[in-house]
Amino acid sequence: MKKIGIITLYRDNFGSILQAYSTYSYITSLGNDCTILQMKRSKNLVDKMKIAPFVLYKFMRYKGYYADRKRLNETSKKDINLLSSNTRELMDKFVNGVFKIETCSINDLKKINSKYDFFITGSDQVWNGYDEFKYLVFADKEKKIALAPSFGTKVVKDYFKKDIAVALNDYKVLSSREESGVKIIKELTGKNVVRLPDPTIIFNKKEWIKFAESGIKEENYILVHFLNTPNKIAIETINKYLEKNQCNVYCICNKYSEYKKLKRYRFIDINPYDYVSLIRYAKFIFTDSYHSTLFSLNLEKQFLTFERQYLHGNPQSSRIEDLLKRVGMFNRFISKNKMNIDFEKLEKWDSNLLFGGERDHIKKYIMESLKEEDSSK
């Protein structure tokens, strides 16, 4: 039995939680002992003073560094505060009941390195920006596994490039979730990179339906899931659907005032089981979420994905565009221009044909990475 430390995003977002669940569950099923590792950031003034010179250097060297840092800190707090408190409680209950979690500090990292056989970073946007912990800088090279991490963007900020390049060059095997990520790694390191699907693809339609059996069961409804405020085009498109379809409207996660512009709606607080179940039984899904898009594809549910109105003003739609182009459904992505959608003529698909090859690919990557790293000791 190998001890595996997983560094990932696993709270406050259904997609983050379920990609972590998929990784954790599959690697555990292979006979490994898995723990999700989280970093406790020091609030000690002495520790803050240690990093001050690095922050000051970037502030002086790179135009816009301070403004970007301030804006991202502010908007990350806003993103979390948008989430319904009751939904957050249900998420936390799931996380604390399913995962084994270990909290560590900067001073613990050497001890952590010797305690685990391997460290896996990914998936989701763990490489959005630069964080030594999420890039596994503390770990031995032969222990590092990059499992479909996402940069969340097509372009890395100049002030992160050097640190990221140094970190990536210390991996034996690299992968990324998007083609744009593959390109970034290639440009920064010159290394060949494997593109892998999001870990939720590890489980097929049948397996997610079994997971959803623990969730709520509703009938005759559409699901509306927006991570940021839905724009005018999204509201108009949903209302167009409602003009021709007499059904309920369930909105989840964030209680936006814009929902009052819908012909009808009901906000409900849910847990991860409910989330998958609601997608499974929905007549249609309207979303700006990457993972709601991906689950709609995997569960073969009709959907439209709208360009997300990011609070920080930095477009991060590359991951959704990459996904939909890859499966031949870019017509489902609604950006700035209003589109005439014939809801009755949207194509259907077989998710096993869509993702079967990618599912085999990510499973093989995980097994070979663990086996190869183990045999090289």
Side-chain angles (χ1 to χ4, degrees):
M1 180 184 291
K2 302 181 184 74
K3 286 184 67 65
I4 313 294
I6 300 173
I7 290 85
T8 189
L9 305 180
Y10 65 98
R11 287 190 185 275
D12 299 323
N13 180 290
F14 286 120
S16 297
I17 291 170
L18 292 174
Q19 65 82 24
Y21 171 83
S22 303
T23 301
Y24 185 96
S25 299
Y26 180 67
I27 295 174
T28 300
S29 75
L30 297 177
N32 300 297
D33 178 12
C34 291
T35 302
I36 289 184
L37 303 177
Q38 63 178 1
M39 174 63 70
K40 182 179 181 181
R41 302 296 174 181
S42 175
K43 296 181 180 180
N44 186 291
L45 181 59
V46 174
D47 290 332
K48 288 185 177 181
M49 291 298 292
K50 289 179 181 178
I51 66 170
F54 301 99
V55 175
L56 181 60
Y57 168 76
K58 290 185 182 295
F59 171 69
M60 296 177 66
R61 174 70 174 79
Y62 298 102
K63 184 180 179 180
Y65 173 76
Y66 178 75
D68 286 347
R69 186 183 174 99
K70 182 180 179 181
R71 183 170 61 249
L72 287 172
N73 285 337
E74 290 174 350
T75 54
S76 63
K77 292 177 182 178
K78 289 180 182 178
D79 270 332
I80 293 175
N81 290 334
L82 287 173
L83 188 64
S84 160
S85 58
N86 290 334
T87 290
R88 187 183 294 110
E89 288 179 10
L90 292 169
M91 287 177 170
D92 287 344
K93 184 178 180 181
F94 175 89
V95 165
N96 296 329
V98 172
F99 300 134
K100 182 166 70 173
I101 301 169
E102 180 176 355
T103 302
C104 54
S105 68
I106 294 293
N107 297 328
D108 296 328
L109 292 182
K110 285 187 178 180
K111 189 186 300 181
I112 290 289
N113 181 45
S114 62
K115 185 177 178 180
Y116 287 86
D117 297 303
F118 298 101
F119 297 94
I120 291 176
T121 186
S123 175
D124 221 341
Q125 298 183 60
V126 292
W127 285 354
N128 186 351
Y130 178 72
D131 181 316
E132 288 187 344
F133 183 62
K134 291 172 183 173
Y135 275 90
L136 306 182
V137 172
F138 64 91
D140 296 334
K141 181 174 183 176
E142 65 272 12
K143 294 183 177 183
K144 298 180 185 182
I145 300 172
L147 182 63
S150 173
F151 291 89
T153 182
K154 293 180 180 179
V155 181
V156 171
K157 297 287 187 180
D158 287 341
Y159 46 77
F160 287 138
K161 285 183 177 179
K162 183 177 179 180
D163 290 330
I164 291 175
V166 171
L168 295 179
N169 273 304
D170 199 44
Y171 278 76
K172 186 175 183 180
V173 181
L174 285 163
S175 69
S176 183
R177 194 176 65 183
E178 286 90 37
E179 291 293 347
S180 54
V182 169
K183 183 179 178 182
I184 288 170
I185 296 172
K186 180 73 173 178
E187 289 175 349
L188 290 178
T189 69
K191 292 187 176 184
N192 292 321
V193 184
V194 177
R195 190 199 64 76
L196 295 176
D198 184 89
T200 59
I201 294 302
I202 290 173
F203 298 112
N204 60 29
K205 177 183 177 181
K206 183 177 180 181
E207 290 166 321
W208 279 120
I209 286 176
K210 184 177 180 180
F211 176 90
E213 289 176 358
S214 299
I216 58 177
K217 308 292 188 301
E218 299 289 342
E219 297 179 350
N220 191 34
Y221 65 92
I222 62 172
L223 181 64
V224 178
H225 178 211
F226 283 79
L227 296 175
N228 282 131
T229 306
N231 60 24
K232 182 180 178 181
I233 294 174
I235 296 296
E236 290 178 351
T237 304
I238 297 170
N239 277 332
K240 181 181 178 182
Y241 181 92
L242 294 174
E243 287 173 2
K244 298 182 179 180
N245 295 274
Q246 291 300 315
C247 58
N248 295 319
V249 182
Y250 294 139
C251 300
I252 60 172
C253 294
N254 306 323
K255 295 182 178 180
Y256 298 116
S257 60
E258 281 73 12
Y259 289 153
K260 295 177 183 178
K261 298 176 183 177
L262 295 175
K263 291 183 179 298
R264 54 188 174 276
Y265 83 97
R266 175 187 167 197
F267 182 87
I268 55 175
D269 288 299
I270 60 172
N271 63 36
Y273 298 110
D274 300 328
Y275 169 74
V276 179
S277 183
L278 283 170
I279 292 176
R280 178 196 175 187
Y281 290 108
K283 295 179 67 175
F284 211 99
I285 294 95
F286 297 89
T287 188
D288 66 353
S289 160
Y290 173 86
H291 279 100
S292 286
T293 301
L294 188 54
F295 271 99
S296 297
L297 287 166
N298 207 359
L299 293 172
E300 300 171 7
K301 305 302 298 188
Q302 294 291 353
F303 71 94
L304 287 177
T305 302
F306 297 83
E307 188 168 27
R308 186 173 166 188
Q309 308 303 298
Y310 289 95
L311 291 173
H312 47 63
N314 295 325
Q316 295 181 357
S317 298
S318 60
R319 56 193 182 134
I320 292 177
E321 293 177 29
D322 181 89
L323 169 65
L324 293 176
K325 286 177 181 177
R326 195 164 62 248
V327 298
M329 294 191 195
F330 192 64
N331 62 314
R332 304 296 182 113
F333 184 66
I334 314 299
S335 55
K336 297 178 181 178
N337 299 318
K338 185 176 180 181
M339 297 177 64
N340 293 318
I341 304 296
D342 189 337
F343 295 103
E344 303 300 321
K345 293 185 178 180
L346 290 173
E347 70 273 27
K348 297 182 180 180
W349 62 94
D350 183 327
S351 63
N352 283 325
L353 292 178
L354 212 60
F355 296 123
E358 293 204 321
R359 184 169 297 119
D360 292 340
H361 191 194
I362 190 169
K363 288 182 177 181
K364 183 179 179 181
Y365 177 90
I366 291 171
M367 289 188 288
E368 289 188 348
S369 295
L370 294 173
K371 181 179 178 181
E372 289 171 3
E373 297 291 352
D374 185 50
S375 64
S376 68
K377 290 184 178 180

